[in-house]
Amino acid sequence: MVENTPCALVSSLSFYWDATAQDWDAYLAEDYSYGIPVGVTTKGGIRRLYYPLFQKFHEPLGNKGDIDWIDFENSLLERFKKGELIVNNTVPLRIKKEQLLTQILTKEQYNLKTQAKRMLKKFEQSQLEINDKDVKLDKLLRVIITELSKKLNVFNPKESQTLYTLFNEAEKLGLLYKVGLYEKGELIGGLIGTQYKNQLLYIKGTATEESQKNGSMYALMNHLISHGFEHNCLIDFGGSNAEGVRYFNTRFGAEDVYYFHYSWDNSPWWFKIFYGMYQKIKGR
């Protein structure tokens, strides 16, 4: 179904769901003419629909025009007391909705802003090098996780393992794109994305703090963009509502695109209390 859906995302493929979700289901037509995959988890005995880490959308697939959205919504509310649904286009659901931002870039939109030009010039004057040949995945992931963990509390062991599983499976399928940053032959950063159906999706990357002062992140992203354009790909930055990340993406001419977050909570009062406590503890 994913293969037969024009412009479907790599994150809709079953290997991607297997790697990122604790469990997943799909709302399907009886004749399999359409479907919507969703992430599922169970906490405190409550089965809920959730948005897995490193996923992008719960994407409608197949003959989307045939989807009965009222039936879909009733099915969600009946099966899941609590849930989050994230889709790339607004759909006719009655549950609570909010807009989120992602950024995309086409070849026609590509336009380096002053900040990007300045940082790329600094990179050219440095001793740093970029290469996308023979970049070892395990080594690059270790560098990325180590560097990001210095600044952000984003990677616990489970989340790190999810990345390893996801990227290893993508590499086996020939869908992975890796670019490394080197200083005197030593790998000190890089970016990882997936290439599928003329879309290059940036997923994760970073570099040492010192190299970033010399424009390394701008140079790495510009290299990824150039690779994508050479293969007639749209560049998908993965999306971020963080203003600093959005600013960085727009320095290449990327434009904002809205996507939509639907949510509901009909869980018992005791679950809401304990789930709230869990979220506070998790956030510390």
Side-chain angles (χ1 to χ4, degrees):
M1 191 182 296
V2 179
E3 290 288 352
N4 292 330
T5 302
C7 301
L9 300 171
V10 66
S11 54
S12 288
L13 289 167
S14 58
F15 90 88
Y16 204 108
W17 280 102
D18 289 340
T20 58
Q22 293 183 25
D23 195 4
W24 64 281
D25 274 346
Y27 174 81
L28 293 167
E30 290 185 4
D31 61 358
Y32 288 83
S33 60
Y34 61 77
I36 306 172
V38 294
V40 178
T41 186
T42 301
K43 291 187 183 298
I46 301 294
R47 197 162 181 260
R48 65 184 181 92
L49 188 146
Y50 84 118
Y51 182 58
L53 193 65
F54 309 121
Q55 259 294 347
K56 188 161 177 62
F57 302 124
H58 298 108
E59 184 179 32
L61 303 163
N63 298 331
K64 305 174 190 179
D66 294 339
I67 297 175
D68 184 337
W69 290 104
I70 298 300
D71 183 70
F72 174 63
E73 181 178 43
N74 290 338
S75 176
L76 291 182
L77 297 178
E78 179 182 341
R79 299 182 63 202
F80 306 105
K81 295 297 184 183
K82 179 179 173 65
E84 294 180 274
L85 181 76
I86 297 184
V87 293
N88 55 346
N89 289 301
T90 185
V91 293
L93 302 180
R94 294 162 295 180
I95 52 183
K96 179 184 174 183
K97 178 182 76 173
E98 65 175 329
Q99 290 186 147
L100 301 175
L101 279 177
T102 185
Q103 292 83 43
I104 61 170
L105 178 66
T106 64
K107 197 169 186 177
E108 294 71 29
Q109 293 168 334
Y110 179 69
N111 178 29
L112 291 175
K113 308 300 183 186
T114 301
Q115 173 76 355
K117 290 178 180 178
R118 184 173 66 84
M119 296 306 285
L120 288 173
K121 188 69 175 178
K122 288 188 71 172
F123 182 83
E124 291 172 2
Q125 296 170 347
S126 74
Q127 300 300 310
L128 302 170
E129 297 179 346
I130 287 176
N131 192 351
D132 59 6
K133 303 294 187 292
D134 301 318
V135 181
K136 301 301 181 185
L137 176 60
D138 285 356
K139 189 171 183 180
L140 178 55
L141 263 177
R142 283 197 298 271
V143 170
I144 289 174
I145 290 172
T146 298
E147 290 300 320
L148 286 178
S149 297
K150 291 177 182 177
K151 297 174 286 187
L152 302 167
N153 184 25
V154 292
F155 290 118
N156 60 39
K158 185 175 180 180
E159 290 165 348
S160 298
Q161 186 57 51
T162 295
L163 272 183
Y164 276 102
T165 301
L166 173 61
F167 289 144
N168 273 296
E169 289 301 313
E171 189 161 55
K172 289 177 186 176
L173 294 169
L175 302 176
L176 204 66
Y177 179 69
K178 313 181 296 289
V179 54
L181 174 71
Y182 297 86
E183 183 175 30
K184 297 179 180 178
E186 179 185 357
L187 184 67
I188 61 169
L191 306 181
I192 301 177
T194 54
Q195 189 172 330
Y196 179 68
K197 284 183 179 283
N198 298 113
Q199 297 177 71
L200 182 55
L201 171 65
Y202 165 64
I203 298 179
K204 195 60 65 179
T206 193
T208 59
E209 188 172 346
E210 191 61 32
S211 75
Q212 290 188 39
K213 296 176 183 177
N214 287 312
S216 62
M217 289 304 296
Y218 281 89
L220 283 166
M221 188 60 76
N222 202 52
H223 188 97
L224 180 142
I225 290 169
S226 296
H227 170 84
F229 290 163
E230 287 171 9
H231 292 80
N232 299 312
C233 288
L234 172 149
I235 310 301
D236 188 331
F237 287 89
S240 178
N241 288 278
E243 184 53 37
V245 177
R246 177 187 172 277
Y247 175 82
F248 173 81
N249 295 342
T250 58
R251 297 310 88 192
F252 300 94
E255 294 189 357
D256 289 332
V257 175
Y258 286 108
Y259 62 106
F260 302 90
H261 175 261
Y262 295 85
S263 63
W264 68 97
D265 188 355
N266 299 320
S267 56
W269 63 268
W270 54 265
F271 180 83
K272 293 178 181 177
I273 292 173
F274 285 111
Y275 187 77
M277 293 171 60
Y278 166 76
Q279 290 295 100
K280 287 181 180 179
I281 293 171
K282 184 180 178 181
R284 288 177 181 174

